[in-house]
């Protein structure tokens, strides 16, 4: 229920709707809660509504930090 | 340092090497002379622990206690009865998320079995599907069974806003939206309550991912300070979970009680303020709301504001919720409070299975019992002759 799914914006239909790609499955969703949605940005989608953007730089930073933990151990 | 790339928002956070190195780090970090009792609040995180086998990779002195963050599980029977009553006796099209369809209610009924008795009950993906049905069938009344924590509340608000804008008066909402911080506070208060015979002492909380993307990390500040408990907001992938457990272990070792955010890629301090404003436009706090397992909690759920009463199914159909106790054999209540694990329930996997559930925790895709059953975390007793 509280699980939202990451999706990438393919194109904006109007100021409230966009077509997104859930790793192969395309769907039209509501993006009215997103501040200035743009094509190729990631969003987390829950019951047909984008709840937030997913920040690609922050995602990379998290992965980078985990990677450095692994390197420190080996 | 070798280069880190982002292949996808899911696969990049499911890599075995990352999970292995984080678990090795956790094993090094734990103090062998103590236990670490962490509650993952969300049923989604309970499933992450089971699905990815993380529970078996953690040191034995880390105990993961499953929390009440499963919206279908915490809905009491009386609430489900309201939805069934609407569908059977008020000639409406009742729309529900799939998770709630098979929860056992009174008289041996569920929404699914009510449908087989002739009630018009539709399983929907989104509240916007209920909106579309109301437009398609202007001569019928459509009711959306609006359940869920703060993640699911903004979509309900969008559907209501769209109904108002479209002038639809044949759509209403059976609002059962509940509030995460209130439930979390209740769990922590019970742990410190000297009159509670089953206090669940916790050393830290794995905080919700997507709920927090709406309400923000600031929403937990009061709780963290009041109970001096470490909280780490955590994404729903196994790498997120392992990193958060490491962050919690570090906080405990350093005697800190901070709110930390592992899920920085989608959660901010303030959350989604647009979504919060929309919730505030249409909803207000209920005086009290009954939760399965947690009892009746003050200001723990939402209802529509009085000016939107004509879209409120409870008012429109004069519905009165009657409290109904759970099946005596079912341990859902104690499991939702973190007092028991699915393996402690005598009917787990025997009289209660996903195909024939006795309790909501076995039904929902976020229920702890469903997680244990689906990923075989408890050996199923050989002597049962029940379902295939």
């Amino acid at each position: 229920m509280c699980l939202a799914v990451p999706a990438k914006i393919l194109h904006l239909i109007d100021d409230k709707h966009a077509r997104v790609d859930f790793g192969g499955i395309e769907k039209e969703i509501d993006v009215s809660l997103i501040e200035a949605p743009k094509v190729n940005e990631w969003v987390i989608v829950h019951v047909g509504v984008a709840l937030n953007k997913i920040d690609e730089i922050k995602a990379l930073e998290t992965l980078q930090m985990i990677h450095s933990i692994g390197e420190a151990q080996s | 340092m070798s280069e880190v790339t982002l292949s996808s928002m899911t696969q990049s956070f499911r890599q075995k090497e990352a999970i292995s190195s984080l678990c090795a780090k956790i094993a090094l970090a734990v103090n062998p002379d103590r236990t670490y009792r962490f509650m993952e609040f969300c049923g989604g995180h309970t499933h992450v622990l089971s699905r990815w086998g993380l529970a078996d990779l953690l040191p034995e002195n880390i105990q993961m206690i499953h929390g009440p963050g499963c919206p279908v599980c915490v809905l009491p029977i009386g609430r489900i009865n309201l939805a069934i009553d609407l569908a059977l006796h008020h000639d409406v099209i009742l729309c529900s998320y799939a998770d709630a369809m098979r929860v056992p209610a009174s008289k041996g009924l569920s929404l699914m079995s009510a449908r087989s008795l002739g009630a018009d009950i539709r399983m929907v993906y989104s509240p916007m599907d209920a909106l579309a049905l109301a437009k398609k069938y202007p001569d019928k009344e459509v009711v959306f069974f609006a359940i869920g924590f703060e993640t699911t509340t903004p979509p309900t608000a969008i559907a209501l806003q769209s109904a108002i804008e479209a002038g639809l008066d044949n759509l209403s909402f059976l609002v059962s939206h509940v509030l995460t911080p209130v439930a979390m506070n209740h769990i922590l208060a019970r742990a410190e309550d000297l009159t509670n015979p089953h206090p669940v002492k916790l050393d830290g909380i794995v905080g919700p991912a997507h709920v927090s993307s709406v309400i923000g990390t600031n929403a937990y500040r009061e709780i963290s300070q009041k109970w001096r408990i470490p909280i780490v907001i955590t994404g729903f992938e196994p790498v997120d979970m392992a990193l958060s457990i490491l962050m919690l272990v570090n906080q405990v070792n350093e005697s800190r009680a901070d709110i930390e955010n592992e899920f920085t890629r989608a959660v901010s301090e303030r959350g989604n303020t647009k979504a919060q404003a929309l919730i505030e436009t249409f909803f207000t706090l209920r005086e009290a709301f009954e939760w399965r397992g947690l009892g009746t909690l003050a200001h723990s759920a939402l209802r529509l504001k009085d000016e939107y009463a004509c879209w409120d199914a409870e008012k429109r159909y004069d519905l009165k919720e009657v409290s109904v106790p759970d099946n005596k054999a079912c341990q859902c209540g104690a499991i939702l409070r973190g007092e028991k694990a699915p393996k402690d329930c005598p009917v787990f996997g025997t009289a209660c299975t996903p195909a024939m559930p006795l309790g909501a925790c076995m039904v929902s895709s976020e229920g702890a019992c469903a997680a244990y059953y689906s990923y075989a975390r408890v050996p199923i007793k050989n002597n049962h002759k029940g379902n295939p």
Side-chain angles (χ1 to χ4, degrees):
Chain A
M1 278 293 313
C2 289
L3 282 177
V5 183
K8 205 168 199 175
I9 298 177
L10 294 173
H11 67 264
L12 297 163
I13 296 164
D14 55 39
D15 59 346
K16 286 186 176 174
H17 300 89
R19 196 156 183 87
V20 298
D21 175 20
F22 294 94
I25 296 168
E26 289 182 23
K27 207 165 161 50
E28 183 184 324
I29 61 151
D30 184 296
V31 288
S32 62
L33 300 178
I34 303 295
E35 209 67 63
K38 292 182 191 71
V39 170
N40 280 332
E41 282 184 328
W42 289 87
V43 283
I44 46 171
V45 181
H46 179 60
V47 300
V49 175
L51 291 178
N52 241 323
K53 284 186 187 177
I54 310 180
D55 186 327
E56 231 171 295
I57 294 168
K58 293 264 171 64
L60 267 169
E61 281 172 7
T62 305
L63 289 173
Q64 191 75 54
M65 180 176 65
I66 293 162
H67 187 74
S68 61
I69 289 172
E71 292 218 323
Q73 281 169 7
S74 57
Chain B
M1 186 182 290
S2 57
E3 197 188 345
V4 173
T5 55
L6 187 67
S7 54
S8 98
M9 283 297 170
T10 48
Q11 293 310 319
S12 295
F13 292 88
R14 292 178 181 178
Q15 286 172 10
K16 188 179 164 191
E17 298 73 24
I19 297 168
S20 300
S21 71
L22 283 167
C23 288
K25 183 82 178 171
I26 291 169
L28 285 173
V30 290
N31 174 355
D33 298 330
R34 61 160 299 160
T35 55
Y36 298 79
R37 292 169 55 84
F38 299 141
M39 175 179 276
E40 81 281 1
F41 184 87
C42 282
H45 283 134
T46 307
H47 276 252
V48 170
L49 283 172
S50 291
R51 178 181 173 191
W52 300 95
L54 266 180
D56 297 326
L57 297 175
L58 296 173
E60 277 185 7
N61 56 339
I62 294 185
Q63 293 171 22
M64 298 306 295
I65 295 151
H66 314 315
C70 162
V72 173
C73 304
V74 297
L75 275 190
I77 290 175
R79 203 77 200 156
I80 311 271
N81 282 347
L82 289 186
I84 292 173
D85 176 49
L86 262 177
L88 281 176
H89 305 299
H90 291 268
D91 192 29
V92 304
I93 300 176
L94 185 99
C95 300
S96 168
Y97 292 124
D99 294 45
M101 291 293 287
R102 292 190 310 111
V103 180
S106 293
K107 300 177 192 161
L109 287 173
S110 65
L111 285 168
M112 194 67 103
S113 64
R115 186 160 75 168
S116 63
L117 293 174
D120 193 346
I121 298 175
R122 315 282 180 106
M123 213 169 355
V124 295
Y125 161 69
S126 161
M128 267 48 90
D129 297 340
L131 187 80
L133 280 168
K135 283 181 183 162
K136 188 174 174 187
Y137 301 106
D139 300 332
K140 292 285 289 185
E141 305 244 320
V142 178
V143 181
F144 178 65
F145 190 16
I147 68 166
F149 284 90
E150 294 88 338
T151 330
T152 320
T153 315
T156 303
I158 292 175
L160 172 57
Q161 190 177 40
S162 306
I164 294 169
E165 283 168 6
L168 280 180
D169 56 5
N170 63 329
L171 176 65
S172 61
F173 298 83
L174 178 54
V175 175
S176 311
H177 288 303
V178 287
L179 303 174
T180 301
V182 184
M184 197 180 277
N185 186 64
H186 177 74
I187 293 276
L188 292 164
R190 277 182 61 87
E192 299 301 325
D193 180 357
L194 297 175
T195 64
N196 175 10
H198 307 288
V200 179
K201 296 280 183 189
L202 298 175
D203 299 305
I205 292 180
V206 174
H210 299 147
V211 161
S212 305
S213 99
V214 173
I215 66 176
T217 58
N218 284 342
Y220 305 95
R221 205 153 293 283
E222 204 182 311
I223 293 172
S224 171
Q225 285 167 357
K226 182 174 174 188
W227 304 108
R228 272 206 51 77
I229 183 110
I231 300 175
V232 177
I233 306 304
T234 309
F236 276 131
E237 297 299 340
V239 167
D240 294 315
M241 191 80 187
L243 177 56
S244 283
I245 290 169
L246 177 61
M247 291 162 81
L248 283 171
V249 167
N250 287 339
Q251 281 210 43
V252 172
N253 289 351
E254 294 159 18
S255 302
R256 287 188 290 123
D258 300 330
I259 302 169
E260 290 182 308
N261 184 7
E262 183 279 334
F263 196 40
T264 51
R265 60 191 186 274
V267 172
S268 62
E269 283 191 356
R270 294 176 63 208
N272 185 331
T273 50
K274 259 185 159 180
Q276 292 162 17
L278 200 62
I279 293 172
E280 273 194 27
T281 302
F282 295 110
F283 296 96
T284 186
L285 285 176
R286 283 177 192 266
E287 286 294 311
F289 190 81
E290 187 190 340
W291 297 55
R292 189 193 302 266
L294 307 188
T296 301
L297 305 183
H299 303 140
S300 63
L302 300 174
R303 65 172 174 85
L304 288 180
K305 284 183 176 170
D306 290 340
E307 56 259 50
Y308 303 106
C310 61
W311 285 278
D312 185 336
E314 279 172 83
K315 295 195 171 122
R316 192 158 169 152
Y317 302 100
D318 195 24
L319 304 177
K320 296 274 180 293
E321 185 175 338
V322 178
S323 181
V324 179
D326 280 344
N327 185 313
K328 277 185 186 153
C330 172
Q331 301 295 312
C332 261
I335 291 169
L336 289 166
R337 291 190 296 273
E339 291 166 9
K340 289 189 176 178
K343 64 177 168 41
D344 303 323
C345 178
V347 293
F348 175 88
T350 54
C352 184
T353 63
M356 294 282 280
L358 283 182
C361 301
M362 188 60 100
V363 181
S364 171
S365 56
E366 287 166 297
C369 298
Y372 276 57
Y373 193 95
S374 303
Y375 304 110
R377 299 223 24 92
V378 178
I380 302 298
K381 296 156 192 125
N382 289 326
N383 59 355
H384 93 279
K385 295 174 183 141
N387 307 291

